[in-house]
């Protein structure tokens, strides 16, 4: 496959392509483009006008995060069944329309579209269209949201379909996605694993912060942090005491606040109980220990060190928070 330019139009001024060395397809045959859309991008169907057609697609898959680019010289339509990822379409040139459920969004360089997981969608691309695609799996988004909120979110994560490039942080999300795409070039030297992991995490957190969804108000409230001082005192005490059992009586004593008042303040300002926060802290510490690389660490020793006495409950709680069993985390680190 010859190295494609970012721009598929004849005689057009070339533009730097963010995924130039990760091509999936570059063709003037709509059927070849259809095969790539179905086999690589997960589309259910793809059709395009044969006359004047030229299409290009590239894609790089990271851990729970996918970065893609596509360009069409002629109109085309792609249809997707329910997916296990949320997707933002960042138009770089031209226009398209995405229909999902009861919503229909016109996409152009000033207006982008966010599609929620589990919802079929139809993407209608206009001529001379180019877009960057950022998609993140549901499990990755849920794990990050849980870390931000401090407790596992209840209910499906659902996104508002409209995103304007003028919205808070939207242009920064686009620039970050383009930056990461250029630095995961398969032909370039491999990035240090920790650096790559941090960049992926930055994309996920930025996605959750910039787009609007059914947990945005809670994230906004936590960011302003109007909680009483004694809530933060309790949180600091819990984080400092991660390796021992903590009772609600301990928290009442250290904050000098009644049990009922403490619980009500946590529910109002954090959306979860003090003990749920304590469990989350201990599960995060367990993951940190499992990933430390210490050969003397075992799942059992880590569980006991973090205050979990029932290994079955520990494994289930760990999987709900981190998306995998503690034994899987340990094996992957080794």
């Amino acid at each position: 496959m010859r190295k494609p330019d970012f721009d598929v139009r004849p005689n057009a001024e070339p533009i730097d392509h963010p995924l130039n060395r990760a091509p999936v397809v570059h063709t003037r045959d709509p059927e070849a483009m259809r095969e790539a859309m179905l086999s690589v991008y997960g589309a259910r169907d793809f059709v395009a006008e044969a006359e004047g057609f030229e299409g290009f697609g590239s894609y790089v898959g990271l851990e729970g995060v996918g970065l893609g680019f596509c360009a069409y010289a002629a109109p085309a339509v792609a249809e997707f069944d329910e997916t296990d990822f949320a997707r933002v379409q960042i138009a770089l040139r031209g226009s398209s329309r995405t229909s999902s459920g009861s919503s229909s969004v016109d996409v152009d360089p000033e207006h982008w579209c966010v599609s929620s997981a589990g919802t079929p969608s139809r993407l209608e691309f206009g001529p001379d269209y180019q877009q960057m695609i950022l998609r993140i799996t549901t499990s990755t988004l849920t794990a990050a949201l849980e870390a931000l909120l401090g407790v596992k979110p209840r209910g499906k994560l659902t996104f508002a379909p409209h995103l304007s490039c003028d919205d808070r942080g939207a242009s920064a999300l686009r620039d970050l996605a383009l930056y990461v795409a250029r630095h995961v070039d398969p032909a370039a030297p491999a990035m240090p694993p920790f650096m790559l992991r941090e960049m992926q995490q930055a994309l996920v957190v930025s996605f959750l912060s910039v787009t609007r969804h059914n947990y945005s108000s809670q994230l906004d409230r936590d960011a302003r942090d109007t909680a009483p001082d004694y809530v933060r005192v309790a949180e600091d005490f819990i984080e400092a005491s991660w390796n021992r059992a903590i009772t609600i009586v301990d928290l009442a004593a250290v904050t000098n606040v009644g049990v009922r008042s403490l619980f009500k303040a946590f529910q109002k300002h954090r959306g979860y109980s003090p003990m749920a926060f304590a469990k989350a802290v201990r599960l995060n510490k367990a993951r940190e220990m499992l990933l430390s690389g210490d050969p003397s660490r075992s799942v059992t020793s880590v569980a006991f060190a973090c205050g979990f006495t029932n290994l079955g409950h520990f494994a289930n709680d760990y999987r709900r928070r981190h998306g995998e069993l503690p034994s899987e985390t340990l094996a992957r680190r080794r």
Side-chain angles (χ1 to χ4, degrees):
M1 180 181 296
R2 69 181 178 87
K3 178 180 176 181
D5 293 327
F6 182 98
D7 197 317
V8 299
R9 294 183 307 163
N11 304 319
E13 181 182 354
I15 304 173
D16 183 27
H17 182 342
L19 291 171
N20 204 29
R21 300 193 183 186
V24 172
V25 61
H26 183 199
T27 182
R28 289 182 172 86
D29 181 1
E31 282 302 311
M33 193 74 197
R34 180 178 184 275
E35 174 61 29
M37 290 295 293
L38 270 60
S39 61
V40 177
Y41 296 98
R44 178 177 62 82
D45 197 11
F46 177 87
V47 294
E49 295 182 9
E51 183 177 355
F53 177 81
E54 186 173 8
F56 174 68
S58 58
Y59 184 76
V60 169
L62 308 174
E63 187 176 346
V65 177
L67 292 164
F69 169 82
C70 67
Y72 303 99
V77 176
E79 295 186 3
F80 289 81
D81 288 328
E82 294 184 1
T83 63
D84 68 342
F85 56 81
R87 172 185 62 226
V88 59
Q89 296 168 246
I90 302 174
L92 302 175
R93 187 167 64 201
S95 62
S96 69
R97 172 173 291 180
T98 295
S99 301
S100 181
S102 59
S103 68
S104 183
V105 179
D106 291 323
V107 184
D108 58 44
E110 303 298 321
H111 306 90
W112 309 334
C113 178
V114 184
S115 300
S116 300
T119 306
S121 57
R122 175 184 173 89
L123 285 60
E124 303 172 58
F125 307 112
D128 189 25
Y129 180 71
Q130 299 174 356
Q131 72 173 7
M132 181 77 181
I133 307 158
L134 170 62
R135 67 189 204 183
I136 306 176
T137 63
T138 300
S139 59
T140 300
L141 288 169
T142 302
L145 183 60
E146 183 175 354
L148 292 170
L149 295 176
V151 67
K152 188 175 181 64
R154 297 178 180 178
K156 178 184 175 183
L157 182 58
T158 304
F159 293 89
H162 297 271
L163 178 62
S164 170
C165 69
D166 293 330
D167 290 347
R168 54 172 198 171
S171 60
L173 174 63
R174 175 196 59 205
D175 294 345
L176 178 61
L178 291 169
Y179 178 84
V180 174
R182 292 190 175 99
H183 286 78
V184 293
D185 188 336
M191 295 177 61
F194 288 113
M195 183 178 180
L196 180 60
R197 189 177 303 120
E198 288 301 316
M199 292 177 74
Q200 291 174 219
Q201 185 65 17
L203 276 175
V204 176
V205 172
S206 299
F207 189 97
L208 288 169
S209 301
V210 172
T211 59
R212 304 305 294 174
H213 47 81
N214 50 325
Y215 291 94
S216 291
S217 59
Q218 190 168 344
L219 287 179
D220 293 343
R221 183 175 66 245
D222 288 351
R224 292 192 297 270
D225 200 4
T226 58
D229 289 342
Y230 59 79
V231 169
R232 290 188 286 274
V233 169
E235 290 172 333
D236 290 343
F237 178 77
I238 289 170
E239 291 177 334
S241 308
W242 63 267
N243 59 344
R244 69 181 185 86
I246 301 174
T247 67
I248 192 63
V249 175
D250 296 329
L251 294 179
V254 76
T255 59
N256 198 30
V257 172
V259 170
R260 290 186 61 189
S261 296
L262 188 60
F263 262 87
K264 289 177 65 175
F266 262 83
Q267 289 293 347
K268 177 180 178 180
H269 295 281
R270 296 297 190 249
Y272 48 80
S273 72
M275 308 321 292
F277 177 72
K279 179 183 285 188
V281 168
R282 290 187 288 133
L283 289 170
N284 289 343
K285 187 64 179 181
R287 183 172 181 81
E288 179 183 322
M289 295 172 70
L290 290 169
L291 289 171
S292 68
D294 185 343
S296 66
R297 297 288 189 195
S298 67
V299 172
T300 300
S301 66
V302 167
F304 289 158
C306 295
F308 295 94
T309 57
N310 187 306
L311 294 180
H313 290 168
F314 169 65
N316 289 333
D317 290 340
Y318 186 96
R319 180 165 56 183
R320 281 196 294 268
R321 180 161 184 81
H322 297 301
E324 62 183 4
L325 291 169
S327 58
E328 293 172 333
T329 301
L330 186 61
R332 181 160 51 81
R333 180 64 183 92
R334 288 175 175 170

